[in-house]
Amino acid sequence: MDKVLLLTLVLVVFISPVRSSTSGLKVSTAQLLGFDWKNCGSPDAPAVLKTLNLSPDPVFIPGDIQASASGSTSVELAAPLAVNVTLEKEVAGFWVRIPCVEELGSCHYEDACDLLTQLVPLGQDCPEPLRTYGLPCRCPFKAGSYSLPLSDFSLPIMELPSWLTNGNYRVRGVLGMQDKELGCLTVSLSLRSY
């Protein structure tokens, strides 16, 4: 994934980090069996994700996906909003950590709010479908509930390193503010490119 897509997916999901998994498929230690997500942080985290759905499985690049999510946050999410991402790829039955190269991979983002403002500058409308559903795309994210109904997204042709194109992946993201962990999310998915 290019860094804009990866960051956008991580941050949309982290509008409210997770509380419970709704996927029927589970991840074993060495083999991915399908899309899955789960909470990897404290059960009393200030922000919680209640649902997250993604199809098709695997995700094809380029291609179309459908996604929905819902959650809430009991605290305002404002700058500086740190995100620590760990990206792993399954290689020969083992999970291998992908290092941070050009802000892609296992990276620490000191202020995701600043990155969001770079993606969608102040004065510019939020992209669809966020605009249609009245969802914010920049900080601060006020305390409250958020819901993205099932929506269509198109994944464009992306120039990816060959080692990042096809395979099973695990992404772990930890959201924090002022040295306090607000939530932790693990997402597992398969990517396929044409």
Side-chain angles (χ1 to χ4, degrees), residues 19 115 136:
R19 183 175 190 157
L115 294 174

Side-chain angles (χ1 to χ4, degrees), residues 44-127:
D44 62 346
V48 294
L49 189 68
K50 296 174 184 170
T51 64
L52 177 61
N53 298 295
L54 178 72
S55 66
D57 184 13
V59 173
F60 289 91
I61 301 174
D64 296 324
I65 62 170
Q66 288 190 323
S68 65
S70 66
S72 62
T73 178
S74 62
V75 297
E76 181 176 81
L77 305 178
L81 189 60
V83 178
N84 194 29
V85 176
T86 302
L87 177 62
E88 297 175 301
K89 181 177 183 180
E90 184 185 19
V91 179
F94 296 96
W95 289 103
V96 177
R97 183 181 171 135
I98 298 174
C100 185
V101 177
E102 296 180 14
E103 296 184 15
L104 177 64
S106 299
C107 302
H108 175 76
Y109 303 96
E110 289 187 26
D111 188 6
C113 293
D114 183 51
L115 294 174
L116 284 173
T117 301
Q118 289 176 33
L119 293 173
V120 184
L122 294 173
Q124 184 176 329
D125 288 338
C126 290

Side-chain angles (χ1 to χ4, degrees), residues 2 4 13 17 32-33 49-50 55 58-59 71 82 105 122 175 186:
D2 70 4
V4 172
V13 167
L32 185 70
L33 301 175
L49 189 68
K50 296 174 184 170
S55 66
V59 173
L122 294 173
L175 183 70
T186 301

